[in-house]
Amino acid sequence: SIDTREYDAMAHTAEIQDRAIEIREKLGNPRWVILGVDRLDYTKGIEERLGAVERLLDRHPELRGRCVFAQLAAPSRTIMPAYRALGERVEALAERINGRYGNAAYHPVILLRAHHEPPTVFRYYRAADVCYVSSLHDGMNLVAKEFIAARDDERGVLVLSKFTGAARELTEALIVNPYDLDEAADAL
């Protein structure tokens, strides 16, 4: 579970909405913002998530220039070669998608590899139209619950991997198999 009191306190400040607008401006003022928030860990399905975004842009060219996927990716276990390799693959995939569908003024994937403090993550939750949690194996996944708690405006859509414990509780989310890129792209 999460402490919703902290989210309630943040949600009821004018500063939060102003910062959410600033985030959208930093992302190029897209019509839609899709968000991912995770540690850079192979269990989180970030590669599959990026694959679904790529499939979405491939199948729906009308979204190019209008939709941005922002991934907050906190580095994790960077001393381990497997995790460094994962980071390199994710970076290369983001670059490939940006090269394929972006241009000088538009980057469909914004990869933010850094630790983000809770108030910053909250602002991204509020700026996003969609939060995609694509975990391949997860006991619960608090990101899904945090996104919902941050959205007291009753806006936003949660796309949630069926492999999270949260999928059993958050039944109004769009539940997907993150390995099925077509299904995930359709949900997005």
Side-chain angles (χ1 to χ4, degrees), residues 131 144 148 157-161 166-167 169-176 187:
C131 183
I148 291 169
V157 175
L158 177 63
V159 178
L160 184 57
S161 165
E169 294 180 3
L170 305 176
T171 57
E172 291 185 34
L174 300 177
I175 309 297
V176 300

Side-chain angles (χ1 to χ4, degrees), residues 58-129:
D58 185 54
R59 293 169 65 189
H60 295 280
E62 70 276 10
L63 295 178
R64 298 175 197 163
R66 301 180 70 201
C67 177
V68 168
F69 172 70
Q71 175 65 53
L72 304 184
S76 177
R77 301 178 179 119
T78 55
I79 196 167
M80 299 175 70
Y83 281 83
R84 276 198 314 273
L86 171 65
E88 291 167 4
R89 288 193 311 272
V90 166
E91 191 82 41
L93 186 51
E95 288 174 12
R96 185 183 84 208
I97 296 168
N98 285 336
R100 188 172 176 200
Y101 300 110
N103 56 46
Y106 169 66
H107 295 89
V109 175
I110 308 294
L111 183 60
L112 301 165
R113 289 179 66 175
H115 172 75
H116 296 85
E117 292 296 326
T120 300
V121 174
F122 184 89
R123 292 176 190 119
Y124 273 90
Y125 288 145
R126 289 302 291 252
D129 300 291

Side-chain angles (χ1 to χ4, degrees), residues 8-18 122 126:
D8 285 341
M10 285 191 279
H12 295 101
T13 65
E15 182 264 345
I16 286 298
Q17 196 55 39
D18 291 343
F122 184 89
R126 289 302 291 252

